[in-house]
Amino acid sequence: EVKAPTDGYVVSVDCEGYGTAALLLGAGRNRKEDVIDPAAGILLTAKTGDAVREGQPIATLYTSREELLDGAEAKLLASTVIGDSKPAARPLIIGVVE
């Protein structure tokens, strides 16, 4: 489990950073020869706007190789911004392409 380092609200997340964390766990490939670990992935338990308490799980990391957990956890935490105030709600649909 990846735990919130402080109390607050999940203000934003860096989606590319989350993808990199999943890649570090073995859920993707850097090169086409790389093997994908079907057991690897991330279960997010807190999303943007959610209130979190210090020590509360914000994600669970999965992999077949335990030595990969520390790097992926560090990347996920570095990609998560926790602040003091709840962020403004964003619209689900921002535009229509015709």
Side-chain angles (χ1 to χ4, degrees):
E1 290 184 335
V2 178
K3 298 183 181 198
T6 185
D7 292 349
Y9 292 89
V10 179
V11 174
S12 66
V13 299
D14 172 18
C15 295
E16 183 177 1
Y18 277 31
T20 301
L23 182 69
L24 291 171
L25 293 168
R29 295 183 175 124
N30 281 317
R31 299 180 317 268
K32 74 176 188 175
E33 306 84 39
D34 292 345
V35 176
I36 294 175
D37 178 359
I42 302 172
L43 174 64
L44 301 175
T45 51
K47 64 183 185 300
T48 303
D50 285 352
V52 294
R53 294 266 183 217
E54 182 178 350
Q56 173 186 338
I58 59 171
T60 305
L61 306 180
Y62 296 94
T63 184
S64 296
R65 297 176 48 203
E66 192 171 321
E67 69 273 11
L68 302 176
L69 290 171
D70 289 341
E73 178 179 14
K75 185 62 179 176
L76 191 125
L77 284 171
S79 302
T80 305
V81 177
I82 297 177
D84 294 331
S85 57
K86 186 172 182 166
R90 295 174 47 169
L92 293 177
I93 300 172
I94 58 173
V96 176
V97 178
E98 295 190 33

